[in-house]
Amino acid sequence: MLSGGIDIAQLRTFARRVAYETALEIVVALDRIDPDDLVEPGWVLMEADEDGAPTHRDLLGLHEIFHDADPSGRGGSDLLPRDPGK
């Protein structure tokens, strides 16, 4: 792609966007799992304390806090599709 004239900054942004959207889709899929629908043995995404011990609280609504985890502080706004009307 670089030899074809793609700017390195555009390529980096593209790679970050693919990684971000992939991670977001995984988080959304995890949020959709209903523990009542699982066949034994099942699994659950659970919160852990600072020592890594389970708190026995299911981690729900993970997709809702995903954007807040962006270390840049932009909430993924630079990676999400833009509204074409803007």
Side-chain angles (χ1 to χ4, degrees):
M1 292 178 90
L2 292 174
S3 64
I6 299 293
D7 179 62
I8 188 75
Q10 290 175 317
L11 187 56
R12 285 183 181 139
T13 299
F14 173 75
R16 287 180 56 231
R17 183 173 177 180
V18 169
Y20 186 85
E21 289 185 13
T22 301
L24 179 58
E25 288 301 317
I26 291 169
V27 167
V28 168
L30 288 172
D31 260 352
R32 289 186 183 146
I33 294 173
D34 183 350
D36 295 331
D37 292 339
L38 295 176
V39 177
E40 295 295 332
W43 62 278
V44 65
L45 188 59
M46 187 176 294
E47 180 184 67
D49 66 18
E50 61 275 355
D51 297 322
T55 63
H56 302 288
R57 291 188 297 230
D58 293 350
L59 192 54
L60 303 172
L62 190 58
H63 73 281
E64 296 168 356
I65 62 172
F66 181 78
H67 300 295
D68 294 337
D70 180 0
S72 73
R74 294 185 296 258
S77 62
D78 59 327
L79 302 172
L80 299 172
R82 291 195 172 89
D83 183 353
K86 292 185 177 185

